[in-house]
């Protein structure tokens, strides 16, 4: 039963990590243009960062 | 006598677009921000072209096109360049840009979408982790070697995850339920909220008293499933909302006003007042209603009235907003602008017509009107029954009522109906049909009658040469060498029929009459009968023919007609075979409409309909109990599209018609109408099947719940399996052909 003491926190931590990553992606506008994202992957000249 | 205009006339891109400078916001760091709507954005290539035209400039800090909303966000160092200068290369590529103020437009709808997605994420996280713990508890109970201390510990952790998650992710349902309760009504969100809150609350109480059963997993899984359904549903709606916003932005077209001092200035249409003078270049749409002051030209009114042949205008003629100036520059004295125009009148008709449609109640809502009260009664009955007659204390009695609420919760329905919708929309999208109204598919499946517009719907919407066989190649080539100089629809049809022909030297166009060019021994002329000095013509044919006159030769006649779409007859037949009555309502002249109706075997038709006439006819049909599918493309069809039970318009239709229609189909064929109808009927069958499945599941599960035999494990299995079954059933729509008749392609 001592395994529970660290396995549960580890599982919860990993889950929270995924949740935080998703919320961050949502906040930074990565879900605003799903149609565009599907096409952008095919552009071959976008290897420099924006700006 | 006639005013002669030089051809072709070119115009700067700045003439027809509102000056973007007014929409630029410069922030404290000296960076300018501008938002624009890209009117004709189609694909990834367009995104790449626009961004590619802007990003190489060193002073541009951001240029990003959003393909979903067709908007361009642009930022640059304000000191380096003006907006017009920056945008010139994009306009040169052929994209029309309309600036807008994001603050005025950005309704809180986008923020609500994002909030819903956050709720889905939180509920998903909670559901996965609580389920992990619940499975351990069930396994422990099954093998009988988990002590109560461990069980309570796991319950407490579950509570720690589930309670905040419910409080956060349940808000969309709680708000809706609270709003509807305040009005003294009930909807499906009330039992959902009750089930989620009571399950979480009772589980907490059980955990505190160290009870064996906790429903935390059911509570959050329920939320997770329902939120997914809600999100899918919302996405379908937000597409329709985007289209409406788009239309609002397109109202921002500028008018070129000639000031009293002779200066020409681009002004927003809203700032134009009656009495002002507006210049309209050839190829531009008229921004206002007015009377021609100077200039002679022809005006294409097909989008407004459905009339195929262009109208000649001269000083004194009344012209309407939305019509297209073809030949020569015009100066128009404004008689009405903005709210007063014919266009605004049509918008008002649409709004009035669309209100009738709001009364339509979706299948799922009709179902839940009966279902929600039944669920409340069952749960209350279970609680009261066990408390009064079953001899239970209030806690176990309430637990049974909670189990009933969880079991009956329409999780399967909340997920399955939107799933059918999304799969159907996706399939139609791939066939080139855009589903714009969320409940459009349901309404289309009801249709028992179809009303067509003629010009641009049953026909291709442009004249084509019909007597090619009677003409010699030499005549055609000579005529085409003049015709390539003109924008007139008949001249264009002639050049299309002749193929590429070089332009003859010295061609001059006389607006409303025809073209002329010098040749050996005189002049060659191409134009209307009067222009070519031909007298014996058939009156009804005027406007659909051209004459060619060469020195010393007989005049030659070119006849034109707006051709039917290739599969018009097949599509009308296919619709009739599906039990739909067919009718034709057109704004065009009676002989032309009669000919088309005759060729398609349509018995009921009306000609010379005004927009209000079409609406009146549709309302008459509706009050006779018919559910009409309206198919049309013109501005004059837009109110009828909004008034009909369901509506479709082709992709080349006027913006306003596409906005009013439930579906927009692409391509030159009408078969998509039949395919969409078939798919909508299949979708409705699937939705009804899912209702039946959900009811069957309840018939089995509810007695078990009422008997108090449901444990959290049984609830979880029952809920997941029923959701899975209806979702899989919904996905069947992906398979199987859309049964477009093979002969429809003939």
């Amino acid at each position: 039963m001592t395994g529970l003491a660290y396995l549960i926190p580890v599982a919860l931590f990993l889950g929270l990590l995924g949740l935080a990553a998703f919320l961050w992606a949502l906040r930074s506008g990565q879900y605003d243009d799903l149609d565009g994202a599907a096409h952008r992957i095919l552009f071959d000249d976008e290897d420099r960062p924006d700006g | 006598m006639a005013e002669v205009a030089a051809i072709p006339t070119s115009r700067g891109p700045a003439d027809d677009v509102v000056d973007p400078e007014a929409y630029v916001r410069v922030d404290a760091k000296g960076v300018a921000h501008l938002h624009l709507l890209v009117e004709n954005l189609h694909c990834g290539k367009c995104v790449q072209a626009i961004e590619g035209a802007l990003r190489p400039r060193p002073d541009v800090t951001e240029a990003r096109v959003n393909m979903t909303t067709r908007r361009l966000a642009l930022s640059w160092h304000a000191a380096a360049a003006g907006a017009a200068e920056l945008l010139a290369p994009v306009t040169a590529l052929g994209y029309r840009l309309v600036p807008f103020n994001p603050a005025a437009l950005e309704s809180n709808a986008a923020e609500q979408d994002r909030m819903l997605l956050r709720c889905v994420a939180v509920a998903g996280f909670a559901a996965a982790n609580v389920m992990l713990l619940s499975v351990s508890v069930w396994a422990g109970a099954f093998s009988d070697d988990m002590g109560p201390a461990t069980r309570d510990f796991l319950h407490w952790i579950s509570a720690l995850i589930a309670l905040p998650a419910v409080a956060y992710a349940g808000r969309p349902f709680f708000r809706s339920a609270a709003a509807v309760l305040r009005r003294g009504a009930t909807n499906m969100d009330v039992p959902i909220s009750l089930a989620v809150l009571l399950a979480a609350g009772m589980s907490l109480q059980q955990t505190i008293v160290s009870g064996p059963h906790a429903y935390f997993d059911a509570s959050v899984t329920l939320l997770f499933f329902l939120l997914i359904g809600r999100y899918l549903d919302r996405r379908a709606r937000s597409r329709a909302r985007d289209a409406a916003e788009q239309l609002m932005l397109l109202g921002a077209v500028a008018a070129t006003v000639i000031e009293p001092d002779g200066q020409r200035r681009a002004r927003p249409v809203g700032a134009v007042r009656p009495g002002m003078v507006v210049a309209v270049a050839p190829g531009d749409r008229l921004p206002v209603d007015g009377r021609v002051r100077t200039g002679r030209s022809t005006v294409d009114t097909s989008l407004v009235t459905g009339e195929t042949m262009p109208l000649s205008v001269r000083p004194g003629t009344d012209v309407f907003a939305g019509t297209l100036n073809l030949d020569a520059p015009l100066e128009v004295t404004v008689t009405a602008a903005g709210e007063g125009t014919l266009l605004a009148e049509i918008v008002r008709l649409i709004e009035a017509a669309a209100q009738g449609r709001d009364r339509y109640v979706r299948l799922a809502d009709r179902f839940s009107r009966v279902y929600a009260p039944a669920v409340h009664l069952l749960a209350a009955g279970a609680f009261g029954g066990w408390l009064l007659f079953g001899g239970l204390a209030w806690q176990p009695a309430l637990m049974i009522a909670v189990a009933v609420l969880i079991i009956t919760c329409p999780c399967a329905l909340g997920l399955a109906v939107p799933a059918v919708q999304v799969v159907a929309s996706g399939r139609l999208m791939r066939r080139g049909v855009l589903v714009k109204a969320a409940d459009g598919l349901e309404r289309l499946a009801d249709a028992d009658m179809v009303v067509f517009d003629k010009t641009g719907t049953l026909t291709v919407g442009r004249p084509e040469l019909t007597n090619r066989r009677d003409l010699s190649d030499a005549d055609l080539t000579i005529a085409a060498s003049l015709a390539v100089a003109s924008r007139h629809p008949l001249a264009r049809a002639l050049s299309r029929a002749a193929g590429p022909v070089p332009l003859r030297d010295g061609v001059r166009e006389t607006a409303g009459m025809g073209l002329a060019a010098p040749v050996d021994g005189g002049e060659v002329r191409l134009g209307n009968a009067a222009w070519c000095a031909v007298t014996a013509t058939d009156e009804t044919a005027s406007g659909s023919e051209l004459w060619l006159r060469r020195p010393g030769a007989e005049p030659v006649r070119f006849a034109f007609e707006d051709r039917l779409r290739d599969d018009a007859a097949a599509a009308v037949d296919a619709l009739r075979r599906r039990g739909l009555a067919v009718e034709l309502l057109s704004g065009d002249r009676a002989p032309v409409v009669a000919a088309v109706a005759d060729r398609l075997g349509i018995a009921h038709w009306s000609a010379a309909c005004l927009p209000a006439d079409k609406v009146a006819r549709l309302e008459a049909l509706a009050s006779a109990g018919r559910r009409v599918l309206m198919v049309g493309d013109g501005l004059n069809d837009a109110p009828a599209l909004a008034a009909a039970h369901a509506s479709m318009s082709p992709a080349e239709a006027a913006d306003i018609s596409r906005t009013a229609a439930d579906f927009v189909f692409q391509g030159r064929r009408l078969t998509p109408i039949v395919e969409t109808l078939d798919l909508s009927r299949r979708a409705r069958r699937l939705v009804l099947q899912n209702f039946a499945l959900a009811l069957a599941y309840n018939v089995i599960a509810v007695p078990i719940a009422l008997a108090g035999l449901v444990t959290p494990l049984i609830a979880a299995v029952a809920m997941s399996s029923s959701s899975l079954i209806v979702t899989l059933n919904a996905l069947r729509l992906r398979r199987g052909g859309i049964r477009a008749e093979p002969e429809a392609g003939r």
Side-chain angles (χ1 to χ4, degrees):
Chain A
M1 283 299 143
T2 50
L4 283 180
Y6 58 88
L7 279 178
I8 289 177
V10 165
L12 284 179
F13 174 72
L14 289 176
L16 278 174
L17 213 61
L19 181 65
F22 176 80
L23 292 178
W24 167 78
L26 189 63
R27 188 176 304 254
S28 65
Q30 297 189 38
Y31 283 80
D32 289 354
D33 181 18
L34 294 175
D35 295 353
H39 285 88
R40 266 173 213 282
I41 193 166
L42 299 173
F43 298 176
D44 44 12
D45 55 359
E46 245 193 74
D47 43 11
R48 74 195 180 90
D50 286 4
Chain B
M1 60 165 234
E3 189 189 49
V4 176
I7 36 175
T9 320
S10 70
R11 59 200 171 88
D15 286 356
D16 67 336
V17 171
V18 175
D19 187 7
E21 227 43 84
Y23 292 86
V24 175
R25 299 268 170 280
V26 181
D27 65 18
K29 287 183 200 148
V31 178
H33 301 276
L34 179 62
H35 294 264
L36 301 123
L37 175 77
V38 188
E39 196 180 306
N40 40 358
L41 183 82
H42 300 295
C43 59
K45 275 263 186 306
C46 302
V47 173
Q48 201 173 7
I50 294 170
E51 292 183 351
L54 291 166
R55 284 195 182 162
R57 291 189 59 124
D59 36 343
V60 172
T61 54
E62 193 204 342
R64 195 163 180 93
V65 178
N66 183 326
M67 213 175 126
T68 318
T69 54
R70 299 203 284 170
R71 283 164 202 178
L72 165 65
L74 187 62
S75 306
W76 72 96
H77 296 295
E85 180 197 339
L86 271 177
L87 296 175
V90 180
T91 331
L93 288 173
Y95 295 102
R96 230 178 78 90
L97 300 171
V98 183
F100 67 96
N101 179 5
L105 196 68
E106 211 55 32
S107 51
N108 55 1
E111 179 46 37
Q112 281 179 19
D113 277 0
R114 235 169 286 148
M115 133 104 181
L116 203 52
L117 211 48
R118 277 199 298 271
C119 290
V120 173
V122 169
F125 160 79
N129 284 285
V130 172
M131 196 52 86
L132 194 79
L133 301 169
S134 298
V135 170
S136 318
V137 173
W138 299 333
F142 187 71
S143 64
D144 224 7
D145 60 355
M146 183 185 274
T150 313
R151 188 192 64 210
D152 288 350
F153 174 63
L154 292 180
H155 277 170
W156 272 115
I157 295 178
S158 299
L160 214 61
I161 302 167
L163 293 176
V166 165
Y168 183 86
R171 285 176 302 164
F173 300 100
F174 303 155
R175 270 188 209 143
S176 155
V180 79
L181 282 177
R182 261 199 299 275
R183 288 205 313 270
T186 178
N187 63 6
M188 229 36 235
D189 288 341
V190 176
I192 289 171
S193 303
L194 265 182
V196 168
L197 286 176
L198 278 179
M202 284 309 292
S203 304
L204 182 63
Q205 187 264 346
Q206 286 290 304
T207 305
I208 291 169
V209 303
S210 187
H213 295 318
Y215 284 95
F216 292 119
D217 63 298
S219 177
V220 285
T221 319
L222 203 65
L223 266 184
F224 183 47
F225 285 165
L226 288 168
L227 281 167
I228 292 175
R230 184 95 12 144
Y231 178 68
L232 293 180
D233 193 45
R234 195 164 171 99
R235 255 186 45 175
R237 283 162 200 267
S238 67
R239 275 189 197 280
R241 192 193 67 227
D242 286 346
E245 286 183 349
Q246 221 108 12
L247 186 78
M248 224 173 82
L249 295 179
L250 293 177
V253 180
T256 311
V257 174
I258 305 178
E259 310 276 350
D261 60 0
Q263 282 260 333
R264 290 175 176 233
R265 223 165 260 132
R267 289 196 181 199
V269 173
V272 176
R273 299 277 164 268
M276 288 182 171
V277 178
V278 168
V280 186
D284 275 359
R285 285 203 184 278
L286 271 70
V288 292
D289 288 2
R291 187 162 296 145
V292 177
R293 195 172 77 144
T294 53
R296 275 165 183 264
S297 180
T298 43
V299 173
D300 178 357
T301 63
S302 59
L303 273 186
V304 180
T305 60
E307 167 77 53
T308 324
M309 291 305 152
L311 223 66
S312 303
V313 297
R314 62 187 65 208
T317 313
D318 286 327
V319 285
F320 298 103
T323 56
L324 186 66
N325 180 20
L326 291 169
D327 300 329
L330 286 176
E331 287 181 14
V332 175
T333 309
V334 180
T335 52
E339 283 300 294
T341 58
L342 182 66
L343 191 68
E345 178 61 34
I346 286 179
V347 171
R348 272 197 294 279
L349 275 173
I350 291 178
E351 283 167 358
Q355 280 173 0
R357 183 182 286 175
D358 288 343
R359 286 197 291 272
Y360 181 80
V361 184
R362 301 183 63 174
L363 272 177
D365 293 335
R366 263 181 276 171
F367 184 82
S368 66
R369 268 187 197 175
V370 184
Y371 195 71
V375 167
H376 287 134
L377 279 179
L378 264 179
F383 178 65
W386 278 106
L387 192 65
L388 298 178
F389 310 110
L392 286 185
W394 70 271
Q395 294 101 325
L398 193 55
M399 276 311 271
I400 289 172
V402 168
V404 170
L405 278 175
I406 290 175
I407 288 286
T408 53
C409 223
C411 174
L413 294 177
L415 198 58
V417 177
V420 169
Q421 185 103 39
V422 165
V423 173
S425 307
R427 266 199 88 150
L428 286 172
M429 180 89 83
R430 282 195 292 280
R431 308 285 297 199
V433 180
L434 187 68
V435 182
K436 282 193 39 249
D439 53 355
L441 278 169
E442 279 181 31
R443 284 189 272 110
L444 180 60
D446 293 340
D448 58 3
M449 179 161 184
V450 55
V451 171
F452 281 104
D453 165 53
K454 182 183 74 72
T455 314
T457 306
L458 286 174
T459 67
V460 288
R462 58 176 195 197
E464 303 214 346
L465 187 63
T466 50
N467 63 338
R468 172 70 185 88
R469 254 176 266 163
D470 310 338
L471 302 166
S472 73
D473 286 347
D475 285 340
L476 186 62
T477 312
I478 293 171
S481 70
L482 287 133
V484 286
S486 174
R487 286 166 169 275
H488 193 282
L490 294 186
R492 286 189 166 183
L494 188 59
S495 348
R496 273 199 306 275
V501 171
L503 173 66
R504 188 169 282 266
D505 285 336
V507 178
R508 310 279 290 172
E509 181 163 10
T510 303
M513 296 300 283
L515 299 140
V519 286
D520 292 342
E523 202 180 36
V524 58
R525 284 186 161 202
L526 177 73
N528 64 18
W531 179 244
C532 295
V534 181
T535 43
T537 58
D538 180 5
E539 262 306 305
T540 56
S542 74
S544 60
E545 59 177 14
L546 282 179
W547 290 85
L548 175 73
R549 182 163 208 113
R550 280 186 294 163
E554 277 296 298
V556 182
R557 179 172 176 268
F558 296 84
F560 298 88
E561 198 182 68
D562 186 10
R563 195 167 50 83
L564 283 177
R565 289 187 191 245
D566 290 335
D567 63 343
V572 167
D573 274 349
L575 288 169
R576 226 180 256 134
R577 248 177 291 131
R578 281 163 179 72
L580 275 73
V582 182
E583 190 168 320
L584 181 58
L585 290 182
S586 175
D588 210 347
R589 291 163 302 148
V592 190
V593 183
V596 168
D598 185 48
R599 222 174 314 160
L600 295 175
I602 299 174
H604 298 281
W605 55 268
S606 326
C609 294
L610 295 173
D613 296 340
K614 292 195 178 192
V615 174
R617 176 71 187 139
L618 285 177
E619 278 166 359
L621 287 170
S623 54
R626 305 308 293 261
R627 285 184 296 268
V628 180
L629 162 66
M630 171 81 203
V631 188
D633 75 316
L635 214 55
N636 57 332
D637 297 315
L641 289 169
H645 190 67
S647 52
M648 296 183 84
S649 78
E652 316 90 70
D655 293 313
I656 197 163
S657 306
R658 278 181 301 175
T659 306
D662 299 323
F663 301 89
V664 175
F665 61 94
Q666 269 155 357
R668 324 182 80 183
R669 289 148 43 88
L670 291 177
T671 321
I673 300 174
V674 185
E675 292 171 350
T676 311
L677 181 72
D678 285 350
L679 195 70
S680 73
R681 290 182 170 179
R682 273 186 66 196
R684 184 179 57 180
R685 267 202 303 281
L686 279 174
V687 167
L688 291 176
Q689 274 173 20
N690 279 341
F691 288 163
L693 281 174
L695 279 180
Y697 149 80
N698 273 322
V699 166
I700 299 168
V702 167
I704 302 178
L706 283 175
L709 298 175
V710 166
T711 64
L713 177 59
I714 292 176
V717 169
M719 210 163 65
S720 312
S721 57
S722 75
S723 297
L724 205 63
I725 288 169
V726 287
T727 307
L728 287 178
N729 192 36
L731 291 181
R732 285 202 308 144
L733 200 58
R734 294 165 75 104
R735 297 155 52 86
I738 298 179
R739 278 185 308 274
E741 313 291 296
E743 67 265 46
R746 254 191 332 211

